[in-house]
Each structure stands twice: as C-alpha cells, then as structure tokens.
C-alpha cells in the first residue's frame, strides 16, 4: 500500500521559515493537500492541489510538489501556527495521510 | 458555505456496533463525496471510506472493509457511518469531511465536521 512519510516533529523560531516535507513514491505525479490541526480541534485545509490556498488561509502558507517530495512552507512563522500538520494524497482508490508533523514555534 | 454537524459522543461495549451521523447544511450535499476519517488518541488521521450521495455507492479502506458501512440519505442531507464488532482499539474521534477532486480521485477535504468521540470499553 502507498505510504506518505513526514518528520514527526520540527521546531522553528518566530519569524523564520518552516518547511515540512512529505515523501512518497512518485508523489510529484499526484495532488497533495495539507491540513493544520490544533489540539482539540478538527483539521483545517491549508493547501490543496499541491499549491493552492483556500480562502481565508494566510499568504504565508505555500506548497510545492516535485519528484518524491511535497513541501509545506510557512514563511514568517507565527506562534499561532504551532500545530500538527498532515499531508494527504489519493492512490489506487484510497486516501492516504502522512503520519503528521508536530510544529513547535519557540 | 456548507457545515457538517455530527452526532454526539458514544460509549460502547466491545463487540457492539455504533452509528455516527453527519448532517450537511448550507450547501450542496448530493454531488460531493463525504468521507469518514478517524483519529485515535495521540495518533494521526486514518481514512475509513466515503460515499457520493447522489450515486449511493461507498468505497472503503481495505482495513475496514468488513466492519464499516457508509450510507447517505439525500432527503435529510445526512451521511452515516456504522462500525461493527467494536474493540478497544476503535476508541477514537471520528470525523466526517466533504471531499473534492478532479476526475474520480479525492484531492482534498473541506470542510470537516467537529468530530464524534467513540469510547469502546467494557
């Protein structure tokens, strides 16, 4: 079965750029979306179809996808961006999620 | 803007079944797939399956294929997920989410319901 691999955790200083990766076989051939989840809350879509931002998502969130790796980039990271982030793709009639990355802003 | 409202928390005994509902309001229900995703305590997101209400046929993740049933009632804009033969490992928050994508795939989920906590305990 298809797998998406994310680093379990990462930290970033306020104002710096956070880059969260998601790896999978030939992932660049698939669309990737990203979700932000804060404690006790439902996931929120922040990037879809690799690089599109839904209405209401700040411009500091961006995405890319090429080769075997998709990347969620948060520019000028703020304390409110501290959360778990999940990537997601579609493969062989199945939805696949990455294991999630806990982003700490300190 | 569509909103998804789920039924309340459930406590079930091992071996029993649970049925969780997800009612859509404020938008089109029938033509968009609805999926169910669960999250065990402290764990990641896990897709269980989904349905396109207007077609009525469901698609399940292999792991849940023999235990889960997803249906949709167009008349009430409500989707249901029934999970049988419950065990303690099924303790989790269960989310419904509206799906979108190009072709026959699911490219993204938006919005998500607020989640339903299922506790399986004897």
């Amino acid at each position: 079965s298809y797998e998406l691999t994310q680093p379990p955790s990462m930290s970033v200083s306020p104002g710096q750029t956070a880059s969260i990766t998601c790896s999978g076989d030939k992932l660049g051939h698939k669309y990737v979306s990203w979700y932000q989840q804060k404690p006790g809350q439902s996931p929120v879509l922040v990037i879809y179809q690799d690089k599109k931002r839904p209405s209401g998502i700040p411009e500091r969130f961006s995405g890319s996808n090429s080769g075997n790796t998709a990347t969620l980039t948060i520019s000028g990271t703020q304390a409110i961006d501290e959360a778990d982030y999940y990537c997601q793709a579609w493969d062989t009639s199945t939805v696949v999620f990455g294991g999630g990355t806990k982003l700490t802003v300190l | 803007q569509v909103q998804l409202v789920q039924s309340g928390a459930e406590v079930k005994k091992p071996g029993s079944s649970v049925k969780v509902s997800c009612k859509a309001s404020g938008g089109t229900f029938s033509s968009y797939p609805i999926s169910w995703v669960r999250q065990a305590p402290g764990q990641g997101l896990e897709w269980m399956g989904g349905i396109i209400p207007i077609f009525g046929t469901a698609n399940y993740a292999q792991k849940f294929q023999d235990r889960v049933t997803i249906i949709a009632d167009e008349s009430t804009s409500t989707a249901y997920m029934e999970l049988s033969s419950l065990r303690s490992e099924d303790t989790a928050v269960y989310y419904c989410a509206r799906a979108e994508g190009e072709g026959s795939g699911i490219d993204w989920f938006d919005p998500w319901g607020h989640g339903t906590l299922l506790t399986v305990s004897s």
Side-chain angles (χ1 to χ4, degrees), chain A residues 31-33 35 37 41-45 48-49 52 54 86 88-90 93-95 97-99, chain B residues 35 37 39 43-47 59 61 95 101-102 104-110 112-115:
Chain A
Y31 277 134
V32 174
S33 61
Y35 304 89
Q37 186 181 34
Q41 298 184 18
S42 302
V44 173
L45 178 71
Y48 67 101
Q49 290 186 328
K52 298 178 181 178
Y86 295 91
Q88 175 253 311
W90 172 259
S93 301
T94 298
V95 172
F97 287 101
Chain B
S35 273
V37 177
Q39 186 172 37
Q43 302 300 308
L45 303 173
E46 183 174 33
W47 183 72
N59 176 33
Y95 296 101
E102 295 181 357
S104 60
I106 292 178
D107 294 338
W108 72 92
F109 294 110
D110 184 49
W112 294 62
H114 54 79

Side-chain angles (χ1 to χ4, degrees), chain A residues 14-71:
Chain A
Q16 299 303 302
T17 296
S19 295
I20 301 172
T21 59
C22 173
S23 299
D25 185 46
K26 299 182 177 66
L27 186 57
H29 293 177
K30 308 177 188 300
Y31 277 134
V32 174
S33 61
W34 290 90
Y35 304 89
Q36 176 194 70
Q37 186 181 34
K38 297 182 179 180
Q41 298 184 18
S42 302
V44 173
L45 178 71
V46 294
I47 292 289
Y48 67 101
Q49 290 186 328
D50 297 339
K51 57 185 178 183
K52 298 178 181 178
R53 262 182 305 105
S55 172
I57 299 301
E59 289 185 11
R60 64 180 181 274
F61 288 88
S62 64
S64 64
N65 184 18
S66 179
N68 294 322
T69 304
T71 304

Side-chain angles (χ1 to χ4, degrees), chain B residues 53-107:
Chain B
I54 197 171
F55 296 134
T57 52
N59 176 33
Y60 303 116
Q62 192 169 5
K63 175 178 178 178
F64 300 101
Q65 200 137 20
D66 57 348
R67 291 203 297 140
V68 70
T69 302
I70 296 173
I71 62 173
D73 182 344
E74 289 185 81
S75 67
T76 59
S77 298
T78 303
Y80 300 88
M81 185 281 298
E82 184 170 23
L83 187 62
S84 62
S85 303
L86 292 172
R87 36 211 188 225
S88 59
E89 308 90 87
D90 294 319
T91 294
V93 175
Y94 290 76
Y95 296 101
C96 63
R98 192 181 80 166
E100 291 195 55
E102 295 181 357
S104 60
I106 292 178
D107 294 338

